[in-house]
Amino acid sequence: MLSGDGNNSFRFKLSYLLGLSHPLSKEQMKSPTNHRFKLPLQMLLVVPFVAQIFAVVGTVGYLSFQNGHKAIDDLADSLIDKTNNSVTDHLENYLSVPHRLNQINADAIRMGVLDVNDPEQVTQFFWSQMRTYDLTYIGYGLTDGTGAGAAKYDGETITVEAWDNELPDNVANYAADDQGRRAGFNESWSYDLFSEAWYTQPIAAGQPTWSSIYVWSSSGDNPYISASAGRPIYDASNQLLGMVAVDIHLLKLSDFLQGLKISPSGQIFIMDRDGMLIANSGDYPPFKGTGEDIERIDVQASPDPVIQGISQALQTEVDNWQQVTTSQALKLELQGEQNYVRMEPWQDEFGLDWVVVTVVPESDFMADIHANTRMTIMLCIGALAIATVVGIYTSRRITHPIFKLSQASQMLASSARARFTTHKHQKDKHKPLEINLDRAGIRELDALADSFSQMAQQLQETFGELETLNDELEARVDLRTQELKNTLQELHQTQAQMLQSEKMSALGQMVAGVAHEINNPINFIFGNLSHAQTYVNDLLALIELYQQKQAGTDPEINELADSIDLDFLTEDLPKLVGSMRVGAERIREIVTSLRTFSRLDEAEFKIADIHDGIDSTLMILHHRTKSKPDHPAIKIVKDYDTLPSVECYPGQLNQVFMNILSNAIDALEDWFTSARAADGDAETAVKEPMICIQTRRTAEDSVMISIKDNGPGIPLEIGDRLFDPFFTTKPVGKGTGMGMAISYEIINQKHQGYLTYTSTPGQGTEFVIEIPIHQKQLAVAGKHA
C-alpha cells in the first residue's frame, strides 16, 4: 500500500506518463471534472466544420422532400376530384335514363298511345327504345299477373317476351325481326310476377323507385346483374294498372370505371350501404360463381387484393358504411405502401344510396420524389466527403507542431498501457518495464527520467497484483456461473415435469369424474333394458293374440291400428330395443376405457395389464384418428401377444403411450398436409396413414411394446437431440419439448427399462419400449421414497 505522500507522488508521475503537461494538484484530483472525456484538437476543428455543411445540405434536402410530398398530395387530391366528378356525372346521366323512359312509357299508357292489353304492340315499342338506349330490359307487369317486355339478356341480341298468370312455363320469349315483331319462338320458363322485387317494390311505394339489385345467369352463361327502375302506371281514370320498369346492367358501370385511367395502379369501386360490391375498375368481376350460382360479393371478400385490403382498412375508420354521409379523404397503408383514399357518398331522388371509393397508391407519383431524394443524399455524401478532407488537411496543418511536442510522452503512455493490459504474452507479465531515456545532463530532465523509471516500477507491481486478483475473480465467477446454469437447468426440468404431472393428474381426475357420472345412469338404463324388452315382447304377444281373437270387430280400433301402422310398429319395436341395448353396451365399454386410462392411483406402484393402458389411450385419441376434411383416417393395427401383468406405475406408462401416439398422429397429419400443399394431391404421398402397435414377451423376462408409424420419419440432424429437455420441432404454443424427455425418464429410471427408436426418412419411425415384468427392488424403493 502507498502512503499519502507516496500516492501523490504516484499520481504526479502517472500524469506525466499519460501525457499531461502539468502534474495534478490535490484540488484537481478531487474534482470529478478531471474524468471528463477529452476531445482531440483535430476532431474539435473538423467536426463543427463538417456538421455545418451536413446540416445545411440535409435541411435543404428535407425541405425539398417535404415540398415534393405536398405537391404530390395536392396532385393526388386534384386527380381524385377530377375522377370523382367524372364518375358522379356518369352515374347521374346513366342512371337517369331508366326513370325518364318510365315517365314516357307511363304517360303513353295513360293517354292510350300504348295498349297494355296488346303485348305485341307494346313490346315492339319497347324494342325500338332498346335499340336507342344502352339498356338491359324494358317491360311492364299488370295487377292480374300478366306482362311483357323487351330484353337484351346476352348484352347484344334484343328479344321480346310476354307472360300470363298461369304457371308453369307461362313466359314465352321470341326472336325479333328488324321491326321488333316476333320472328320465332326461343324458349319458355316459369315466372311469378307477384314474387319479384322489380314489381312489388314500385307498387308498394306508389311512386318511382329503384328495386333491389338482383343477380342471375341468362342463357349462354352470361351473368345478369341488374338494377331495376320501376314506376306505377294508371289508366285515364287514374286506376292502377300495374307498373313499368327499365333495367340497367351494372357490369356496364365496371366497363366505364375500367376506362378511367386514374393512375398506373389506381382503382375505383362502388358499393351499396350494405358493403356489397356494385362495380369496380379492377380485373376481377363484382360477382362470384358461374352458371346458375351467380351471386354478389362483399367488398371485404373481393378477390381483388386492393379492394379487399382498402375496405378492411376503412372498417377501422368507420363502424359501418351508413356513417359515410360526406366526402372523406384518408391516407391508408396497404401492404407497406401508402394510398390516397376518397370515400364519396352518391344518392339520387329515387332511392339509390351508394358509396364511391377512389384509391390512388402514393408510389404512382413518388418516382421523381425518390430520384430527388437520392440526388440529395448523394450531394450530402459528396459535400461531407469534401468538407472532411478539407477539415482534416486544415487541422493537420494546425495540430502537427503541437502533436510533435506531446508525441514522446504519448508513446511512453501507450507503451505502458499495452504492456500491462494485454494477455498475449503471459511469460513477460513480471518482467520489469524498461524505460530507455537519454540523459540530457540537465537536472530537471534527469529528475523527470528518474520519476518515469520509478513510476514504471510501481505500475509493474500494481498491475501484477491486479492480474492475480483478476484471475482469481474470473475463476470464481466461472465456477459460480456453471453452478447457476446447472441449477437453472434442473429447475426448468423439474418445473416442466411437475407441470406435465399436474396436467395428467387433472386429465385423469376429469376423465374419472366423467366416467363415474356416466356409469350410474348407463347402468340403470342397461339394467332395465332386459325388463323393457320382456315387457315389449309380452305386450306385442298380447296385441297379436287380441288381433287373432277380435280381428276386425271394432272399426275404431281398426282405424287407430291403421293410423299408427301397427304392423310396422310391432316389427320395428324389438329392433329399437335391441339398438338401445347395443348403444348402452358401447357406452359401458367407453366408460370402462375412461376409468382404465384415468387411474387416480397412478402414483401407486402396482400390477397392471399393459394392453388395457394402450387401449384406453387409443380410446382417448380416437377422435384424432378419424377421417377429417383435411386428411384421411389413421388406421390403427394392433398385434398383441399374450402378456402377463406387469409391475409398474400404470398412470405414468399411460403418459408415455399418450406422448408417443400423439407425436405419431401429429407427424402423419403434418406430412399429409405438407404433401397436399406441395402436389395438390396428398394421396400420392401417403396412401394410408397407419400406426402399428405390437407387444411381445422377451426371453429376458420383460415385455416389449413397439409403436410404429409410416410417416415422414425423424431427420438425422435432430435424432441425437430427441430426448433432450425443451427440444421440440413444433411451433410455439404447440409443444414444450418435455414430452419425450419425461417419457425417457419414466421408462429408463422409474421402470429400469429402455426407450429407443429407429427412423428412416420418408418411411416412418418406430419407438420400442422394454420394461421388466418384475421390479421388486424398485417397488421397495418406491415405498420408502
Side-chain angles (χ1 to χ4, degrees):
M1 296 293 294
L2 297 175
S3 64
D5 294 338
N7 248 343
N8 292 338
S9 176
F10 179 76
R11 292 191 181 99
F12 178 87
K13 298 168 185 175
L14 184 62
S15 65
Y16 272 101
L17 179 62
L18 297 179
L20 297 175
S21 58
H22 299 285
L24 297 174
S25 65
K26 294 183 179 180
E27 290 74 12
Q28 289 175 326
M29 288 186 289
K30 295 179 180 178
S31 174
T33 59
N34 183 51
H35 302 286
R36 292 181 304 175
F37 176 72
K38 302 296 192 300
L39 288 175
L41 179 60
Q42 184 173 343
M43 182 180 295
L44 192 62
L45 293 174
V46 174
V47 170
F49 181 70
V50 173
Q52 288 180 0
I53 301 298
F54 188 78
V56 171
V57 177
T59 302
V60 172
Y62 174 77
L63 293 176
S64 174
F65 182 77
Q66 292 299 320
N67 290 335
H69 258 292
K70 187 177 185 304
I72 292 301
D73 292 342
D74 294 340
L75 176 61
D77 288 340
S78 175
L79 183 61
I80 292 175
D81 285 339
K82 181 179 178 181
T83 303
N84 283 355
N85 291 336
S86 299
V87 174
T88 301
D89 292 341
H90 180 77
L91 291 177
E92 291 175 353
N93 295 331
Y94 184 61
L95 298 177
S96 64
V97 171
H99 287 285
R100 290 202 301 270
L101 285 181
N102 281 340
Q103 179 69 57
I104 294 172
N105 294 336
D107 292 342
I109 293 172
R110 179 188 292 273
M111 293 184 296
V113 176
L114 290 177
D115 184 5
V116 293
N117 295 318
D118 185 0
E120 290 193 40
Q121 178 233 359
V122 178
T123 56
Q124 188 174 0
F125 180 74
F126 289 166
W127 178 87
S128 65
Q129 290 180 334
M130 290 285 290
R131 295 187 61 188
T132 305
Y133 299 96
D134 187 13
L135 303 172
T136 302
Y137 189 87
I138 305 177
Y140 70 89
L142 302 180
T143 55
D144 61 358
T146 62
K152 194 187 294 182
Y153 291 128
D154 61 358
E156 298 178 358
T157 307
I158 303 176
T159 61
V160 295
E161 61 188 25
W163 63 85
D164 55 34
N165 55 10
E166 296 182 2
L167 296 171
D169 295 331
N170 58 326
V171 179
N173 183 270
Y174 303 91
D177 60 15
D178 57 358
Q179 299 297 319
R181 295 185 293 267
R182 299 177 181 177
F185 177 77
N186 287 332
E187 58 180 331
S188 63
W189 62 84
S190 299
Y191 185 73
D192 182 9
L193 177 66
F194 299 123
S195 65
E196 297 296 329
W198 78 285
Y199 172 83
T200 58
Q201 291 182 0
I203 294 296
Q207 61 183 2
T209 185
W210 290 95
S211 67
S212 303
I213 296 174
Y214 56 93
V215 180
W216 59 287
S217 180
S218 62
S219 59
D221 196 24
N222 295 306
Y224 190 89
I225 305 175
S226 177
S228 180
R231 185 185 189 95
I233 55 176
Y234 304 88
D235 58 14
S237 59
N238 207 30
Q239 295 296 318
L240 178 66
L241 296 177
M243 53 75 65
V244 65
V246 175
D247 288 4
I248 59 169
H249 207 317
L250 293 182
L251 289 183
K252 296 183 181 296
L253 291 180
S254 293
D255 296 338
F256 169 76
L257 295 180
Q258 290 170 358
L260 294 176
K261 298 301 181 183
I262 315 172
S263 67
S265 54
Q267 284 210 42
I268 308 175
F269 61 92
I270 304 174
M271 60 182 173
D272 58 23
R273 294 293 181 165
D274 293 331
M276 303 301 291
L277 193 61
I278 295 173
N280 66 286
S281 62
D283 297 330
Y284 296 92
F287 62 88
K288 64 180 179 180
T290 58
E292 298 296 329
D293 298 327
I294 300 296
E295 61 180 23
R296 298 173 63 201
I297 58 178
D298 190 279
V299 290
Q300 297 192 42
S302 172
D304 192 307
V306 175
I307 296 177
Q308 183 186 98
I310 290 297
S311 61
Q312 291 175 354
L314 287 174
Q315 285 291 291
T316 62
E317 303 292 334
V318 294
D319 293 336
N320 58 71
W321 305 118
Q322 301 291 341
Q323 295 180 351
V324 183
T325 57
T326 59
S327 178
Q328 298 184 29
L330 303 169
K331 197 170 184 181
L332 301 177
E333 183 175 345
L334 178 62
Q335 296 179 350
E337 182 180 354
Q338 293 293 331
N339 293 264
Y340 297 96
V341 180
R342 178 78 62 85
M343 291 190 296
E344 191 85 33
W346 186 88
Q347 301 171 335
D348 71 352
E349 58 181 314
F350 301 108
L352 285 185
D353 190 4
W354 294 348
V355 178
V356 180
V357 181
T358 307
V359 183
V360 178
E362 187 182 55
S363 59
D364 289 351
F365 308 101
M366 290 300 293
D368 293 337
I369 298 296
H370 290 322
N372 291 336
T373 302
R374 287 192 295 270
M375 180 61 69
T376 301
I377 293 174
M378 294 302 296
L379 289 174
C380 289
I381 294 174
L384 182 61
I386 293 173
T388 302
V389 171
V390 173
I392 290 174
Y393 175 76
T394 304
S395 65
R396 280 184 178 273
R397 295 294 300 269
I398 296 174
T399 60
H400 185 69
I402 301 174
F403 176 75
K404 285 294 185 180
L405 293 175
S406 62
Q407 187 174 19
S409 60
Q410 291 292 335
M411 288 179 61
L412 289 176
S414 299
S415 176
R417 285 194 294 269
R419 167 63 180 82
F420 295 113
T421 58
T422 182
H423 294 272
K424 294 181 179 179
H425 305 287
Q426 294 294 329
K427 62 181 181 179
D428 298 332
K429 182 183 299 183
H430 302 291
K431 184 178 180 180
L433 178 64
E434 296 180 359
I435 302 295
N436 296 319
L437 293 177
D438 296 334
R439 296 287 175 171
I442 301 174
R443 182 177 55 187
E444 288 80 4
L445 293 178
D446 291 344
L448 180 61
D450 293 339
S451 298
F452 265 92
S453 299
Q454 294 176 9
M455 180 189 65
Q457 184 63 32
Q458 292 177 358
L459 285 175
Q460 173 79 6
E461 296 174 358
T462 302
F463 276 106
E465 295 174 359
L466 290 176
E467 193 72 29
T468 302
L469 292 175
N470 185 60
D471 291 342
E472 294 178 357
L473 181 60
E474 286 181 353
R476 294 173 62 187
V477 169
D478 290 341
L479 179 60
R480 183 58 57 87
T481 301
Q482 186 62 39
E483 292 177 354
L484 290 175
K485 286 182 179 179
N486 295 337
T487 304
L488 183 60
Q489 184 175 0
E490 293 175 358
L491 178 60
H492 281 314
Q493 186 171 357
T494 303
Q495 289 176 339
Q497 292 176 351
M498 292 176 62
L499 179 61
Q500 188 78 2
S501 299
E502 288 296 329
K503 287 183 178 178
M504 293 302 296
S505 176
L507 177 62
Q509 292 179 2
M510 182 189 70
V511 170
V514 172
H516 178 73
E517 293 297 329
I518 296 176
N519 190 49
N520 290 335
I522 198 61
N523 283 339
F524 174 78
I525 294 172
F526 188 80
N528 286 286
L529 276 176
S530 60
H531 300 298
Q533 188 168 13
T534 302
Y535 299 157
V536 168
N537 292 338
D538 292 343
L539 288 175
L540 292 177
L542 176 61
I543 292 173
E544 182 179 1
L545 179 62
Y546 179 80
Q547 285 180 325
Q548 293 174 359
K549 300 297 184 179
Q550 303 292 333
T553 59
D554 192 332
E556 184 177 357
I557 294 177
N558 293 335
E559 182 180 356
L560 178 60
D562 292 337
S563 65
I564 66 175
D565 196 355
L566 182 60
D567 293 337
F568 173 77
L569 189 148
T570 56
E571 179 183 355
D572 190 59
L573 186 56
K575 297 178 181 179
L576 179 62
V577 175
S579 298
M580 294 170 64
R581 174 180 290 276
V582 172
E585 290 176 349
R586 174 56 181 160
I587 295 174
R588 292 185 68 190
E589 293 174 359
I590 293 174
V591 169
T592 302
S593 296
L594 290 175
R595 297 179 66 182
T596 300
F597 179 81
S598 64
R599 293 187 183 272
L600 289 180
D601 57 350
E602 62 181 9
E604 180 184 349
F605 184 81
K606 58 185 295 183
I607 297 175
D609 189 338
I610 296 296
H611 293 158
D612 286 347
I614 297 174
D615 291 340
S616 63
T617 305
L618 289 173
M619 190 279 297
I620 296 297
L621 297 172
H622 177 66
H623 69 286
R624 295 195 58 193
T625 62
K626 296 190 297 185
S627 176
K628 295 182 177 61
D630 55 348
H631 61 79
I634 299 175
K635 182 178 180 182
I636 304 297
V637 178
K638 295 189 287 188
D639 181 10
Y640 288 172
D641 194 3
T642 302
L643 299 181
S645 297
V646 177
E647 296 176 352
C648 62
Y649 295 96
Q652 295 184 6
L653 277 184
N654 288 348
Q655 181 179 352
V656 175
F657 299 150
M658 177 69 75
N659 287 334
I660 297 176
L661 289 171
S662 297
N663 287 339
I665 294 172
D666 289 340
L668 291 171
E669 290 179 348
D670 293 343
W671 194 25
F672 190 89
T673 303
S674 301
R676 184 172 60 182
D679 1 87
D681 182 11
E683 295 296 336
T684 61
V686 184
K687 291 297 183 182
E688 184 179 17
M690 182 183 302
I691 297 176
C692 300
I693 304 173
Q694 184 184 59
T695 60
R696 291 289 184 269
R697 179 169 181 173
T698 65
E700 290 77 14
D701 198 22
S702 61
V703 295
M704 182 272 293
I705 303 101
S706 168
I707 301 176
K708 182 178 181 181
D709 65 70
N710 62 344
I714 300 174
L716 298 177
E717 61 271 14
I718 68 172
D720 295 337
R721 304 181 61 192
L722 187 63
F723 298 117
D724 290 351
F726 308 107
F727 173 74
T728 178
T729 59
K730 298 180 180 179
V732 177
K734 191 174 180 181
T736 62
M738 288 301 299
M740 295 308 299
I742 293 174
S743 300
Y744 186 85
E745 181 180 356
I746 290 174
I747 299 300
N748 287 54
Q749 296 183 13
K750 294 193 175 183
H751 290 84
Q752 303 300 311
Y754 302 96
L755 173 58
T756 59
Y757 80 94
T758 56
S759 178
T760 303
Q763 297 183 13
T765 303
E766 179 182 14
F767 282 89
V768 177
I769 301 170
E770 185 174 351
I771 59 175
I773 298 174
H774 302 288
Q775 302 189 31
K776 295 181 180 180
Q777 294 181 353
L778 182 63
V780 172
K783 292 180 181 179
H784 289 287

